[in-house]
Amino acid sequence: MSLFRKIFGSGQEGSEAESQSEYNSPKPSNLPVDEQFTFNFKKNGGKFIYCENLAEVKEQFENILEENDWFEKEVLCFEPKLFSLLEENRLPHQSVSQPAFFFASCENLIADEGSVLFSSNQIKQKKPNELPDNIVILATTSQILESKSDGLRVIKKKYDKEYPTNITTIKYFEKAQEEDFLTYGSCHKNLYLLLLEDL
Protein backbone atom coordinates (compact mmCIF):
# COMPACT_ATOMS: atom_id res chain seq x y z
CA MET A 1 0.00 0.00 0.00
CA SER A 2 1.27 3.46 -0.89
CA LEU A 3 2.60 5.69 1.87
CA PHE A 4 0.23 8.49 0.79
CA ARG A 5 -2.77 6.16 1.04
CA LYS A 6 -1.79 5.18 4.56
CA ILE A 7 -1.53 8.82 5.62
CA PHE A 8 -4.38 10.40 3.65
CA GLY A 9 -6.72 7.45 3.16
CA SER A 10 -7.74 5.77 -0.07
CA GLY A 11 -9.62 8.77 -1.40
CA GLN A 12 -12.74 6.65 -1.84
CA GLU A 13 -13.69 6.84 1.77
CA GLY A 14 -14.94 10.22 2.89
CA SER A 15 -17.63 11.80 4.85
CA GLU A 16 -20.98 12.38 3.21
CA ALA A 17 -20.59 16.10 3.89
CA GLU A 18 -17.37 16.18 1.85
CA SER A 19 -18.98 14.47 -1.11
CA GLN A 20 -21.91 16.91 -0.97
CA SER A 21 -19.79 20.06 -0.93
CA GLU A 22 -20.79 22.75 -3.45
CA TYR A 23 -17.52 22.18 -5.33
CA ASN A 24 -18.15 18.43 -5.68
CA SER A 25 -21.87 18.60 -6.39
CA PRO A 26 -22.71 17.42 -9.89
CA LYS A 27 -23.41 20.23 -12.32
CA PRO A 28 -26.57 19.69 -14.34
CA SER A 29 -24.69 20.02 -17.65
CA ASN A 30 -26.68 17.24 -19.30
CA LEU A 31 -29.95 19.11 -18.69
CA PRO A 32 -31.64 21.17 -21.41
CA VAL A 33 -30.44 24.79 -21.33
CA ASP A 34 -33.70 26.14 -19.79
CA GLU A 35 -33.63 23.61 -16.94
CA GLN A 36 -29.93 24.26 -16.39
CA PHE A 37 -30.62 28.00 -16.10
CA THR A 38 -33.50 27.42 -13.66
CA PHE A 39 -31.34 25.12 -11.50
CA ASN A 40 -28.37 27.53 -11.33
CA PHE A 41 -30.52 30.66 -10.96
CA LYS A 42 -32.36 29.19 -7.96
CA LYS A 43 -29.07 27.91 -6.51
CA ASN A 44 -27.80 31.52 -6.63
CA GLY A 45 -30.85 32.63 -4.63
CA GLY A 46 -33.01 34.09 -7.43
CA LYS A 47 -36.79 34.00 -7.31
CA PHE A 48 -38.16 32.50 -10.50
CA ILE A 49 -41.74 33.00 -11.75
CA TYR A 50 -42.78 31.30 -14.99
CA CYS A 51 -45.56 33.02 -16.99
CA GLU A 52 -47.37 31.58 -20.01
CA ASN A 53 -48.75 34.91 -21.28
CA LEU A 54 -48.79 38.67 -20.66
CA ALA A 55 -51.88 38.45 -18.43
CA GLU A 56 -49.91 36.17 -16.09
CA VAL A 57 -46.96 38.59 -16.18
CA LYS A 58 -49.24 41.43 -15.01
CA GLU A 59 -50.79 39.26 -12.30
CA GLN A 60 -47.42 38.02 -11.00
CA PHE A 61 -45.97 41.55 -11.10
CA GLU A 62 -48.85 42.71 -8.88
CA ASN A 63 -48.20 39.76 -6.55
CA ILE A 64 -44.56 40.87 -6.19
CA LEU A 65 -45.69 44.43 -5.42
CA GLU A 66 -48.12 43.14 -2.80
CA GLU A 67 -45.62 40.74 -1.22
CA ASN A 68 -43.08 43.54 -0.74
CA ASP A 69 -45.51 46.42 -0.09
CA TRP A 70 -44.18 48.32 -3.11
CA PHE A 71 -47.49 49.86 -4.25
CA GLU A 72 -47.08 53.60 -4.97
CA LYS A 73 -43.33 53.39 -4.29
CA GLU A 74 -40.76 54.89 -6.65
CA VAL A 75 -39.20 52.61 -9.27
CA LEU A 76 -35.97 52.97 -11.22
CA CYS A 77 -36.62 52.03 -14.86
CA PHE A 78 -34.86 53.23 -18.03
CA GLU A 79 -36.89 51.35 -20.68
CA PRO A 80 -39.96 53.09 -22.18
CA LYS A 81 -41.40 49.73 -23.30
CA LEU A 82 -41.86 48.82 -19.60
CA PHE A 83 -43.41 52.12 -18.46
CA SER A 84 -47.01 51.03 -19.17
CA LEU A 85 -46.80 48.22 -16.57
CA LEU A 86 -45.54 50.72 -14.01
CA GLU A 87 -48.19 53.29 -14.89
CA GLU A 88 -50.99 50.68 -14.63
CA ASN A 89 -49.89 50.14 -11.03
CA ARG A 90 -49.36 53.86 -10.25
CA LEU A 91 -45.64 53.48 -9.68
CA PRO A 92 -43.66 56.73 -10.15
CA HIS A 93 -40.64 56.10 -12.40
CA GLN A 94 -39.40 59.52 -13.55
CA SER A 95 -36.97 61.69 -11.58
CA VAL A 96 -36.93 59.24 -8.68
CA SER A 97 -34.75 59.79 -5.64
CA GLN A 98 -35.38 56.70 -3.50
CA PRO A 99 -36.53 53.80 -5.67
CA ALA A 100 -37.86 50.72 -3.89
CA PHE A 101 -36.72 48.50 -6.77
CA PHE A 102 -35.20 48.43 -10.24
CA PHE A 103 -37.42 47.18 -13.09
CA ALA A 104 -35.84 46.10 -16.37
CA SER A 105 -35.58 43.61 -19.17
CA CYS A 106 -32.18 42.06 -19.91
CA GLU A 107 -29.99 41.09 -22.84
CA ASN A 108 -29.88 37.38 -21.99
CA LEU A 109 -30.12 34.78 -19.24
CA ILE A 110 -26.94 32.72 -18.86
CA ALA A 111 -27.63 29.04 -18.09
CA ASP A 112 -24.20 27.74 -17.04
CA GLU A 113 -23.90 30.23 -14.17
CA GLY A 114 -27.56 31.18 -13.56
CA SER A 115 -26.86 34.87 -14.15
CA VAL A 116 -28.60 37.80 -15.87
CA LEU A 117 -26.71 39.69 -18.62
CA PHE A 118 -27.34 43.44 -18.88
CA SER A 119 -26.06 46.27 -21.06
CA SER A 120 -26.39 50.04 -21.16
CA ASN A 121 -29.80 49.51 -22.79
CA GLN A 122 -31.18 48.38 -19.43
CA ILE A 123 -28.90 49.90 -16.79
CA LYS A 124 -27.41 52.95 -18.61
CA GLN A 125 -23.92 53.51 -17.14
CA LYS A 126 -24.73 52.30 -13.62
CA LYS A 127 -22.65 49.61 -11.97
CA PRO A 128 -24.54 46.74 -10.29
CA ASN A 129 -23.75 48.13 -6.81
CA GLU A 130 -25.37 51.47 -7.81
CA LEU A 131 -28.71 49.78 -8.55
CA PRO A 132 -31.35 49.28 -5.83
CA ASP A 133 -31.01 46.07 -3.79
CA ASN A 134 -34.36 44.85 -5.13
CA ILE A 135 -34.66 44.03 -8.83
CA VAL A 136 -37.54 42.73 -10.95
CA ILE A 137 -36.57 41.43 -14.40
CA LEU A 138 -38.93 40.68 -17.28
CA ALA A 139 -37.37 38.21 -19.74
CA THR A 140 -38.47 35.57 -22.24
CA THR A 141 -37.57 31.90 -22.59
CA SER A 142 -35.89 32.60 -25.95
CA GLN A 143 -33.31 34.75 -24.11
CA ILE A 144 -31.85 31.75 -22.26
CA LEU A 145 -28.39 30.91 -23.61
CA GLU A 146 -25.76 28.37 -22.60
CA SER A 147 -22.84 30.68 -21.72
CA LYS A 148 -21.66 34.27 -21.43
CA SER A 149 -19.77 33.98 -24.71
CA ASP A 150 -23.05 33.00 -26.43
CA GLY A 151 -24.65 36.09 -24.86
CA LEU A 152 -21.88 38.36 -26.15
CA ARG A 153 -22.17 36.83 -29.61
CA VAL A 154 -25.93 37.52 -29.66
CA ILE A 155 -25.38 41.13 -28.53
CA LYS A 156 -22.80 41.63 -31.30
CA LYS A 157 -25.22 40.25 -33.90
CA LYS A 158 -28.29 42.10 -32.55
CA TYR A 159 -26.69 45.55 -32.34
CA ASP A 160 -24.90 45.78 -35.66
CA LYS A 161 -24.20 49.53 -35.53
CA GLU A 162 -25.10 50.95 -32.11
CA TYR A 163 -23.20 48.49 -29.94
CA PRO A 164 -24.19 48.87 -26.24
CA THR A 165 -21.65 49.59 -23.52
CA ASN A 166 -21.54 48.61 -19.84
CA ILE A 167 -22.13 44.90 -20.50
CA THR A 168 -22.25 43.09 -17.14
CA THR A 169 -23.90 40.21 -15.32
CA ILE A 170 -25.53 39.91 -11.93
CA LYS A 171 -25.11 36.46 -10.47
CA TYR A 172 -25.60 36.58 -6.69
CA PHE A 173 -29.17 37.02 -5.49
CA GLU A 174 -28.64 36.55 -1.77
CA LYS A 175 -25.83 37.40 0.61
CA ALA A 176 -23.26 34.63 0.84
CA GLN A 177 -23.30 33.02 4.28
CA GLU A 178 -19.52 32.78 4.23
CA GLU A 179 -17.75 35.10 1.83
CA ASP A 180 -14.89 33.52 -0.07
CA PHE A 181 -12.66 34.68 -2.89
CA LEU A 182 -15.33 33.68 -5.46
CA THR A 183 -17.90 36.11 -4.04
CA TYR A 184 -15.52 38.83 -2.85
CA GLY A 185 -16.41 42.23 -4.28
CA SER A 186 -19.68 41.05 -5.83
CA CYS A 187 -22.90 42.68 -4.75
CA HIS A 188 -25.95 40.58 -4.02
CA LYS A 189 -29.44 41.57 -5.15
CA ASN A 190 -32.91 40.43 -4.16
CA LEU A 191 -33.97 39.47 -7.68
CA TYR A 192 -37.32 38.35 -9.09
CA LEU A 193 -37.41 36.97 -12.62
CA LEU A 194 -40.70 37.06 -14.53
CA LEU A 195 -40.00 34.59 -17.34
CA LEU A 196 -42.46 34.79 -20.22
CA GLU A 197 -42.87 31.77 -22.50
CA ASP A 198 -42.31 32.84 -26.10
CA LEU A 199 -41.13 29.64 -27.81
Side-chain angles (χ1 to χ4, degrees), residues 41-59:
F41 180 78
K42 286 182 173 180
K43 190 175 97 180
N44 292 343
K47 297 171 186 80
F48 178 90
I49 304 164
Y50 176 81
C51 304
E52 289 186 1
N53 52 48
L54 285 173
E56 274 188 38
V57 168
K58 290 180 180 185
E59 180 186 337

Side-chain angles (χ1 to χ4, degrees), residues 123-135:
I123 62 174
K124 298 296 182 196
Q125 297 307 317
K126 292 195 176 287
K127 296 181 178 118
N129 63 342
E130 297 172 337
L131 297 171
D133 289 341
N134 301 302
I135 298 178

Side-chain angles (χ1 to χ4, degrees), residues 97-112:
S97 59
Q98 295 202 321
F101 66 98
F102 175 59
F103 184 48
S105 65
C106 64
E107 292 296 340
N108 294 108
L109 303 169
I110 308 302
D112 66 355

Side-chain angles (χ1 to χ4, degrees), residues 38-190:
T38 305
F39 176 87
N40 289 327
F41 180 78
K42 286 182 173 180
K43 190 175 97 180
N44 292 343
K47 297 171 186 80
F48 178 90
I49 304 164
Y50 176 81
C51 304
E52 289 186 1
N53 52 48
L54 285 173
E56 274 188 38
V57 168
K58 290 180 180 185
E59 180 186 337
Q60 294 299 340
F61 183 69
E62 288 175 16
N63 289 343
I64 292 169
L65 296 178
E66 188 174 343
E67 177 185 326
N68 294 283
D69 194 23
W70 287 340
F71 283 107
E72 299 181 17
K73 298 274 172 74
E74 292 183 335
V75 180
L76 183 64
C77 181
F78 301 116
E79 299 172 82
K81 66 183 180 183
L82 299 176
F83 290 169
S84 62
L85 193 55
L86 299 175
E87 287 159 4
E88 279 175 32
N89 290 286
R90 296 190 192 124
L91 297 165
H93 56 84
Q94 294 180 347
S95 304
V96 296
S97 59
Q98 295 202 321
F101 66 98
F102 175 59
F103 184 48
S105 65
C106 64
E107 292 296 340
N108 294 108
L109 303 169
I110 308 302
D112 66 355
E113 60 180 30
S115 64
V116 182
L117 183 67
F118 296 103
S119 77
S120 55
N121 292 325
Q122 294 85 36
I123 62 174
K124 298 296 182 196
Q125 297 307 317
K126 292 195 176 287
K127 296 181 178 118
N129 63 342
E130 297 172 337
L131 297 171
D133 289 341
N134 301 302
I135 298 178
V136 179
I137 300 298
L138 176 57
T140 59
T141 51
S142 62
Q143 289 179 286
I144 300 174
L145 299 174
E146 177 72 36
S147 68
K148 235 186 261 187
S149 58
D150 294 333
L152 295 173
R153 209 172 295 117
V154 167
I155 288 174
K156 192 172 183 181
K157 196 173 180 182
K158 182 178 176 184
Y159 303 103
D160 192 28
K161 294 187 176 147
E162 292 184 27
Y163 198 73
T165 57
N166 198 20
I167 297 169
T168 189
T169 59
I170 295 180
K171 179 178 176 181
Y172 299 103
F173 312 120
E174 62 186 2
K175 188 157 178 64
Q177 308 217 329
E178 288 181 31
E179 292 202 12
D180 60 15
F181 72 96
L182 294 173
T183 59
Y184 181 78
S186 62
C187 62
H188 68 280
K189 300 292 181 183
N190 176 33

